[in-house]
Structure formats: C-alpha cells, structure tokens
Amino acid sequence: VLAARSGLWTKQQALDALAQTAAFYEHQAGRRWRALQDTTNDEIINPRRPMSWRDWQRFEDYYDEGRLIWLEADTLIRERSQGKRSLDDFARSFFGIDDGSFVTVTYNFEDLVKALNAVEPYDWAGFLRERLDGVARPPPLEGLRRGGYKLIYTDTPSELEKASDLERKRMSLHYSIGVALDDKDGTVLKVAWGSPGFKAKLTESAQILAVNGAAYSAEVLKDAIRSAKGTTSPIELIVKTGDRYRVVALDYHDGLRYPHLERDPSVPARLDDIWAEKK
C-alpha cells in the first residue's frame, strides 16, 4: 500500500504483486493442515534454516496471508460504511498515539478488536479468529472480490514477474507444471507440493536435460507446455539427479498459467481507492 501510494510502484505493479500473493495462497497445500497463527512460531521452530517443501510446511505466512486478511478488513469497512471509513481510520486511532514517544506500548487481541469496532461495528473477533485459527478454509481472496478485482490466469507473465525472474535468473512455472527452474541449465529450484511436477517425482537440484527429445532450454520447455494444452500426450523429460538419469512423463495439459488481477466492473473499485495517493 505504501509503495503504491508513494509512487514507488505504479498501480499496475501493485496489482501484479498482489496477484502473485493471491495466487500463491490459492494453491498453497499447507493451508489444508496448518493454521495461520501457528506460523508465528516458525522463528522458534525453525529460525530461517533451509527447509524442504516450504509450501506444504508453511513458513511465516502471517506476513503475506496477513496482508490479504487486512485487505479483507479494509474493503469490508469501506463496504459497510459506504466509503465513509476505512482501515486508515483504524490505523490512525490504533497506532497514532503518543507522537514522539519511544516508550513501548503493548496491546492484546481484545484491544485490537475494540479499536476495529470503534471504526466499524462488526464481529471482528469472529472474523479474525476464523482466519487465524481455521484450517482448510477457502483461499483468502474475498478482499480482492470486494475490492473490485478477481484473480485470473493467462499464458503471459506480468512485467513484474518477468523482471523478478530475470533478476533471479530463473523461470517460474509454479501455476502450470508446478516448478521453478534455473532458466539456463534447467536445474529444478523449487517444486510445488501436489503439482504435476511433484507427481512426476521431480525434486530440487534435479536437472532437466531434454524435453520431448530436444535439448533443454527455457523456450523449448515452454513450447512443449503450450503444445500439450488440450491434448492427452504427456510431456517427456530426460532428468538427471545426481549420477542417475531417467525419463519422466509429465502429465499436464492446461498450458502456461500466470496470475493477474482483472477488474470486475460490477463491484466498486475499492482497491483503487486504497492505493490512491493521500494528500
């Protein structure tokens, strides 16, 4: 929000970043078994040590999933108050105290609920507890819908995602075959739990050497994914893991998929209002 309001990000960059976050939680397998609040213990359980199957285990999701929850809260306040109030009003009253003081002010859950109710009466305790403690809930996308947007997938990555992949020297195919690769040599950097790549037993550090009989390149793999769309023929990979080679049949037929946010004109553009610069 601050990046968009200050002009550090364009509106489109902010939309694309939010689309990536929303898509991640729409697909994240770990939400099926682990409550969001439990991820606040991650610094005690595993203080940033390497971990396998991160999307299944979940790690510090209170940051990004929390962002989607606060978007839900903001759009709900705006909807219920007919645009007269927002999360900005909560932030001013809750955080805007004792200006200039360096004394720590603690608070608890009940203080938070009380401050939200002072802005817009609602069952905020139930709202928060459901999202913090619930398991296997629907992905937290209601704030997008109420904000006037919907999550869609197209066969073209956003400019933000292109720039991110270029900077990291990787190719992200998370929402198609479920892997991220070194874009030069085909080394698998990440595999999404339950994805087609996972079912084909691809693992981190494996290397894709060939795709449908042709030497690996990023474009060769993407072309194979495009060509397999709507067919029943698997994508054939030759994969090297350590000193072992094997042929993998990748059963995937839905083409390239990259997340974007699309405007829904039937709903007020509350998300645009949230990101509008405040004078």
Side-chain angles (χ1 to χ4, degrees):
V1 172
L2 292 178
R5 287 182 178 179
S6 67
L8 292 173
W9 269 355
T10 65
K11 174 185 171 183
Q12 189 59 52
Q13 287 172 322
L15 285 170
D16 292 341
L18 188 55
Q20 290 184 25
T21 300
F24 177 80
Y25 288 107
E26 184 174 61
H27 289 81
Q28 191 200 44
R31 299 186 73 256
R32 298 202 299 264
W33 72 272
R34 191 179 185 196
L36 176 62
Q37 180 156 305
D38 190 47
T39 71
T40 64
N41 296 311
D42 283 339
E43 280 300 329
I44 302 169
I45 299 169
N46 184 18
R48 298 181 188 265
R49 290 191 294 265
M51 59 192 301
S52 298
W53 307 115
R54 186 165 173 160
D55 62 328
W56 175 250
Q57 296 194 55
R58 308 193 78 182
F59 184 73
E60 294 187 351
D61 280 352
Y62 55 90
Y63 282 116
D64 284 342
E65 189 168 339
R67 183 154 52 116
L68 295 175
I69 291 172
W70 284 114
L71 177 61
E72 282 192 81
D74 196 350
T75 55
L76 184 60
I77 292 170
R78 290 170 187 266
E79 180 182 61
R80 289 175 59 85
S81 69
Q82 298 182 339
K84 297 182 178 67
R85 293 178 295 280
S86 72
L87 201 65
D88 289 347
D89 298 294
F90 161 79
R92 290 189 195 97
S93 64
F94 195 71
F95 299 111
I97 59 172
D98 301 335
D99 189 26
S101 173
F102 288 88
V103 177
T104 300
V105 179
T106 61
Y107 63 90
N108 58 30
F109 182 80
E110 288 71 25
D111 295 329
L112 188 71
V113 169
K114 181 179 178 181
L116 283 167
N117 273 310
V119 173
E120 180 62 39
Y122 189 68
D123 180 17
W124 292 111
F127 173 94
L128 292 170
R129 287 267 66 95
E130 182 180 12
R131 286 155 181 78
L132 294 174
D133 303 333
V135 174
R137 294 187 69 255
L141 306 184
E142 188 61 21
L144 294 180
R145 185 203 64 76
R146 201 183 290 114
Y149 286 83
K150 56 185 175 181
L151 179 64
I152 65 167
Y153 296 86
T154 75
D155 60 4
T156 305
S158 67
E159 291 301 317
L160 188 73
E161 186 165 1
K162 285 185 198 174
S164 177
D165 278 359
L166 182 63
E167 181 181 4
R168 299 184 186 188
K169 298 180 173 59
R170 71 176 187 184
M171 177 172 62
S172 178
L173 300 169
H174 188 85
Y175 305 111
S176 54
I177 62 174
V179 302
L181 303 164
D182 183 302
D183 63 355
K184 298 301 182 186
D185 67 5
T187 298
V188 177
L189 305 175
K190 185 184 294 185
V191 181
W193 188 277
S195 68
F198 176 90
K199 292 173 183 175
K201 298 185 172 141
L202 294 178
T203 56
E204 293 179 11
S205 81
Q207 185 180 12
I208 298 175
L209 301 178
V211 182
N212 290 340
Y216 167 85
S217 74
E219 283 307 314
V220 164
L221 179 55
K222 286 192 284 189
D223 283 344
I225 294 172
R226 292 186 191 101
S227 297
K229 184 175 182 179
T231 73
T232 58
S233 301
I235 301 167
E236 186 178 273
L237 308 177
I238 297 177
V239 177
K240 179 177 182 287
T241 306
D243 60 356
R244 308 289 294 180
Y245 295 79
R246 64 190 178 99
V247 176
V248 170
L250 192 61
D251 189 18
Y252 176 74
H253 309 283
D254 289 329
L256 295 169
R257 299 177 79 244
Y258 301 98
H260 299 269
L261 293 186
E262 181 178 80
R263 178 77 179 94
D264 179 359
S266 69
V267 181
R270 297 185 180 96
L271 189 54
D272 292 358
D273 295 338
I274 290 171
W275 284 338
E277 181 180 359
K278 302 299 178 183
K279 301 297 185 181

